[in-house]
């Protein structure tokens, strides 16, 4: 049976931090690292190393500048190993804290060894739930043991003290044996629910739902969207006592069909009851783990599958995509064609209709102040709080890559924000602060730049006036048209206007090759989702919940957040 043979962790200097062998005789860490680094960047997550003995498959991820590599010498499901590596990083962050540093792993190796040993046994992935790991991993130090031995109040309990021991004072076997079998299961034996700790108690019962979507949109030079995807994550935070049974209801424009289309290719946490979701799409019934976890993930295609107009069947219509922020680039401006302009546009009417999936709801004007903005229309993005009723756009950054042959970008003129040219990355970055975004009354801002091309040879005036040396005769001949007497006469007969126009045309053609070909847009919107998904309700089932307490009503909160990290690309 295929299994994981070893786990290696390297720091940013390629020094080994952790080496844990599960089974077999895998190659040494230095051998794996040298063979892995021999591959050109960007390196894939799965690399075949045929020169090792035996040939090895290296599965790798990079997290907090630490390199995690798992080795297998036989064919194994790659997604299983990569998911195991991600679970290892989550567990280490849960126990050691974030960010993960090499010094933390080395200082608490006893805890790290227990974690990697419990998560994979003899190469087989077994226990990866953080709450279940906390039940079996001893994180106490010698100071905690010393304080616990003194019996001081508030001292942490060791793992040995949490394990119930049989009553040896009773000498009758008949009474001691039934008492041990009839006793309740201890925490050392693990909870009945693998992903939730036993005996969970919280003074304040709280439930939070955070839905985050990352955009990936590409626009053609004509403005037509070529592709538009939103990758969503539903993060859930449960700080509630006992064993609660929750029901989360999600909605989208279009009812059940809309939620099925909006949450395409969903993946759920093991706590979700899949039968309930299949029978009633949009309803998530689950017993949550204690703390913060990822409840579900999904993809959403923001464009319809067929761009056909209902009025004219068979004719392809232009799809519309309502984004709160967009950018346009106009190249080859100015007399010499050495300037380009980028225009940032805000869309306060980014809303969801019954037939569209762009937006989680109407973006309305703020407050009751009439006449805000231009033409008596309020700006929908000037709310610093960023609620679902009035979203807030933040962290706007426009990145414009230019060809590497561009020597410099001079005269960066931005109507809003600050613009810089990064010569090492050949990119113009235009950043607009949140305060300026909130105060943009015109709903647009412009950036105009001048490109400085490479150093070129000095151009002539359009005609060649060099003297021609003849090698076939040594005699003077004034009838030759290219002699120095006739060259000056020909140059005088040419019109300066034609020479200047030809020169300007050549300059425009040369500068056209230095113009940007695309621009990427980064931003974040609080209180708005591109897919249109909303949380309709979050109910605690008091009949099936245990240990919650009578009359306890947990506090509930919902947040929506859309993020684009250079995810909106506009081609020129």
């Amino acid at each position: 049976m295929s299994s994981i043979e070893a786990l290696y962790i390297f720091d940013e200097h390629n020094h080994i931090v952790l080496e844990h062998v599960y089974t077999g005789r895998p190659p040494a860490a230095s051998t794996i690292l040298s063979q892995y680094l021999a591959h050109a960047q960007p390196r894939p997550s799965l690399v075949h190393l045929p020169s090792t003995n035996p040939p090895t498959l290296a599965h790798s991820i990079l997290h907090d500048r630490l390199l995690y590599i798992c080795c297998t010498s036989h064919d194994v499901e790659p997604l299983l190993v990569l998911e195991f590596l991600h679970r290892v990083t989550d567990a280490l962050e849960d126990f050691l804290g974030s960010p993960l540093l090499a010094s933390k792993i080395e200082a608490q190796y006893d805890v790290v060894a227990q974690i990697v040993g419990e998560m994979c046994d003899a190469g087989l992935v077994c226990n990866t739930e953080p709450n279940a790991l906390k039940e079996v991993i001893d994180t106490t130090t010698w100071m905690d043991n010393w304080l616990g031995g003194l019996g001081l109040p508030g001292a942490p309990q060791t793992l040995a003290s949490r394990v119930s021991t049989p009553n040896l004072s009773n000498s009758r076997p008949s009474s001691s044996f039934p008492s041990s079998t009839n006793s309740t299961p201890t925490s050392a034996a693990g909870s009945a629910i693998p992903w939730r700790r036993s005996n969970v108690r919280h003074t304040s019962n709280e439930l939070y739902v955070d839905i985050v979507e990352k955009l990936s949109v590409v626009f053609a030079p004509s403005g037509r969207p070529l592709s538009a995807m939103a990758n969503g994550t539903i993060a859930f935070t449960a700080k509630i006592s006992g064993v609660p049974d929750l029901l989360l209801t999600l909605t989208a424009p279009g009812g059940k069909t809309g939620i099925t289309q909006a949450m395409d290719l969903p993946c759920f946490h093991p706590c979700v009851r899949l039968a309930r979701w299949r029978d009633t799409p949009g309803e998530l019934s689950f017993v949550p783990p204690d703390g913060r976890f990822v409840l579900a993930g999904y993809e959403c295609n923001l464009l319809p599958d067929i761009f056909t107009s209902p009025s004219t069947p068979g004719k392809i219509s232009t799809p519309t995509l309502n984004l709160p922020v967009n950018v346009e680039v106009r190249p080859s401006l100015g007399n010499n064609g050495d300037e380009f302009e980028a225009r940032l546009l805000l869309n306060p009417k980014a809303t969801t209709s019954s037939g569209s999936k762009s937006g989680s709801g109407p973006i309305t004007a703020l407050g009751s102040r009439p006449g805000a903005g231009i033409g008596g229309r309020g700006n929908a993005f000037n709310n610093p709080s960023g609620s679902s009723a009035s979203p807030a756009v933040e962290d706007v950054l426009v990145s414009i890559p230019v060809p590497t042959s561009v020597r410099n970008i001079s005269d960066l003129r931005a109507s809003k924000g600050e613009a810089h040219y990064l010569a090492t990355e050949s990119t113009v970055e235009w950043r607009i602060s949140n305060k300026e975004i909130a105060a943009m009354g015109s709903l647009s801002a412009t950036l105009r730049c001048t490109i400085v091309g490479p150093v070129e040879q000095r151009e002539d005036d359009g005609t060649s006036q060099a003297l021609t040396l003849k090698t076939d005769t040594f005699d003077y001949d004034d009838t030759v048209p290219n002699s120095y007497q006739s060259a000056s006469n020909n140059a005088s007969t040419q019109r300066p206007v034609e020479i200047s126009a030809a020169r300007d045309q050549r300059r425009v053609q040369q500068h056209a090759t230095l113009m940007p070909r695309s621009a990427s847009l980064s931003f974040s919107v609080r209180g708005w989702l591109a897919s249109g998904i909303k949380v309709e309700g979050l109910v605690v089932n008091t009949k099936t919940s245990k240990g919650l307490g009578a009359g306890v009503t947990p506090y509930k909160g919902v947040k929506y957040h859309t993020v684009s990290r250079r995810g909106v690309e506009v081609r020129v």
Side-chain angles (χ1 to χ4, degrees):
M1 186 176 183
S2 301
S3 59
I4 300 174
E5 297 180 357
L7 170 64
Y8 303 123
I9 302 179
F10 302 91
D11 60 7
E12 62 271 17
H13 304 293
N14 296 329
H15 297 157
I16 185 67
V17 178
L18 177 69
E19 180 178 359
H20 193 92
V21 178
Y22 291 109
T23 183
R25 300 183 62 181
S30 57
T31 304
I32 293 293
L33 181 63
S34 60
Q35 296 292 332
Y36 174 80
L37 297 178
H39 286 259
Q41 293 184 350
R43 301 180 182 92
S45 300
L46 177 59
V47 177
H48 181 232
L49 308 178
S51 58
T52 59
N53 187 19
T56 305
L57 294 173
H59 306 73
S60 62
I61 64 171
L62 191 63
H63 182 77
D64 285 345
R65 303 181 67 180
L66 297 179
L67 177 63
Y68 298 77
I69 297 180
C70 270
C71 299
T72 58
S73 58
H74 299 84
D75 290 337
V76 66
E77 183 64 34
L79 294 180
L80 171 65
V81 184
L82 295 177
E83 179 64 21
F84 169 74
L85 289 176
H86 285 287
R87 293 292 184 95
V88 169
T89 59
D90 294 341
L92 292 179
E93 281 186 343
D94 199 5
F95 280 88
L96 306 183
S98 180
L100 280 177
L101 302 176
S103 58
K104 292 182 179 180
I105 297 177
E106 293 174 349
Q108 304 185 45
Y109 174 74
D110 54 340
V111 177
V112 175
Q114 294 181 69
I115 294 174
V116 297
E118 288 289 341
M119 297 183 71
C120 185
D121 187 11
L124 302 179
V125 180
C126 48
N127 188 4
T128 60
E129 290 295 334
N131 285 277
L133 291 174
K134 291 179 181 179
E135 297 288 341
V136 296
I137 293 178
D138 188 7
T139 59
T140 57
T141 61
W142 66 271
M143 180 62 70
D144 298 333
N145 295 331
W146 182 67
L147 294 176
L150 294 178
L152 296 178
Q157 293 183 345
T158 62
L159 183 62
S161 63
R162 294 197 299 262
V163 178
S164 61
T165 56
N167 187 9
L168 300 178
S169 60
N170 195 340
S171 59
R172 292 179 298 176
S174 59
S175 61
S176 61
F177 181 78
S179 63
S180 61
T181 56
N182 296 334
S183 60
T184 60
T186 59
S187 60
S191 173
I193 303 176
W195 53 82
R196 186 171 180 85
R197 295 185 295 113
S198 58
N199 302 324
V200 177
R201 290 292 181 268
H202 289 281
T203 55
S204 60
N205 296 287
E206 301 170 343
L207 298 174
Y208 299 103
V209 183
D210 298 325
I211 304 181
V212 182
E213 291 185 352
K214 295 182 179 180
L215 296 180
S216 178
V217 183
V218 179
F219 287 95
S222 61
R224 179 191 182 94
L226 300 178
S227 65
M229 299 294 296
N231 297 320
T233 301
I234 303 177
F236 199 91
T237 303
K239 297 180 180 180
I240 187 169
S241 303
V243 183
D245 194 346
L246 306 180
L247 177 62
L248 178 65
T249 306
L250 304 175
T251 59
K256 294 183 178 180
T257 305
I259 192 64
T260 304
Q261 295 178 355
M263 295 188 65
D264 190 18
L265 299 176
C267 58
F268 302 101
H269 191 274
C271 66
V272 177
R273 300 180 177 96
L274 298 180
R276 181 67 174 268
W277 173 267
R278 286 193 297 263
D279 296 339
T280 310
E283 293 186 359
L284 296 176
S285 178
F286 59 97
V287 176
D290 184 48
R292 184 177 177 86
F293 67 100
V294 177
L295 179 63
Y298 59 91
E299 290 184 357
C300 178
N301 186 7
L302 302 179
L303 297 179
D305 296 334
I306 302 177
F307 305 139
T308 56
S309 177
S311 59
T312 57
K315 183 179 179 180
I316 298 178
S317 62
T318 302
T320 58
L321 184 64
N322 293 325
L323 293 180
V325 189
N326 206 343
V327 64
E328 296 177 354
V329 179
R330 298 171 56 196
S332 301
L333 302 179
N335 296 330
N336 298 327
D338 58 347
E339 297 182 359
F340 68 89
E341 182 182 79
R343 181 181 297 272
L344 183 70
L345 305 174
L346 291 184
N347 183 16
K349 292 185 178 181
T351 181
T352 298
S353 61
S354 59
S356 174
K357 294 188 292 183
S358 299
S360 60
I363 299 180
T364 57
L366 289 176
S368 58
R369 182 168 60 95
I374 286 186
R377 183 177 61 188
N379 189 350
F381 301 121
N382 56 359
N383 184 14
S385 61
S387 61
S388 58
S390 52
V393 178
E394 300 175 338
D395 305 329
V396 176
L397 174 65
V398 180
S399 302
I400 307 175
V402 296
T404 56
S405 57
V406 173
R407 185 157 52 97
N408 191 16
I409 301 290
S410 63
D411 196 13
L412 286 82
R413 294 160 291 178
S415 62
K416 298 286 184 181
E418 297 180 354
H420 305 279
Y421 173 61
L422 306 178
T424 57
E425 301 178 5
S426 298
T427 304
V428 177
E429 287 192 352
W430 180 24
R431 190 182 302 273
I432 303 178
S433 64
N434 301 336
K435 184 180 295 184
E436 289 177 319
I437 286 290
M440 282 177 60
S442 60
L443 302 180
S444 66
T446 57
L447 170 67
R448 198 176 183 95
C449 304
T450 303
I451 285 183
V452 179
V455 179
E456 299 176 353
Q457 295 182 354
R458 191 181 186 89
E459 294 184 354
D460 296 330
D461 292 337
T463 59
S464 177
Q465 301 180 9
L467 297 179
T468 304
L469 299 179
K470 296 179 56 118
T471 59
D472 55 348
T473 179
F474 295 97
D475 298 332
Y476 170 75
D477 187 3
D478 56 355
T479 61
V480 178
N482 289 335
S483 60
Y484 70 93
Q485 291 93 343
S486 61
S488 60
N489 296 331
N490 294 335
S492 61
T493 58
Q494 293 181 359
R495 290 181 295 180
V497 178
E498 296 178 357
I499 297 175
S500 178
R503 187 190 305 115
D504 293 342
Q505 185 178 3
R506 286 198 305 271
R507 289 178 179 176
V508 171
Q509 293 176 356
Q510 292 174 357
H511 291 147
T513 60
L514 304 177
M515 288 292 113
R517 293 293 178 261
S518 65
S520 59
L521 181 61
S522 303
F523 62 90
S524 63
V525 184
R526 291 184 298 169
W528 181 82
L529 292 179
S531 62
I533 295 177
K534 279 188 174 182
V535 176
E536 184 178 6
L538 178 59
V539 181
V540 180
N541 192 343
T542 57
K543 296 181 179 180
T544 57
S545 300
K546 300 178 181 179
L548 181 60
V552 175
T553 303
Y555 176 81
K556 306 171 186 178
V558 179
K559 287 185 178 181
Y560 308 114
H561 198 184
T562 300
V563 180
S564 170
R565 294 292 178 259
R566 296 191 177 184
V568 179
E569 179 184 355
V570 179
R571 298 177 181 176
V572 181

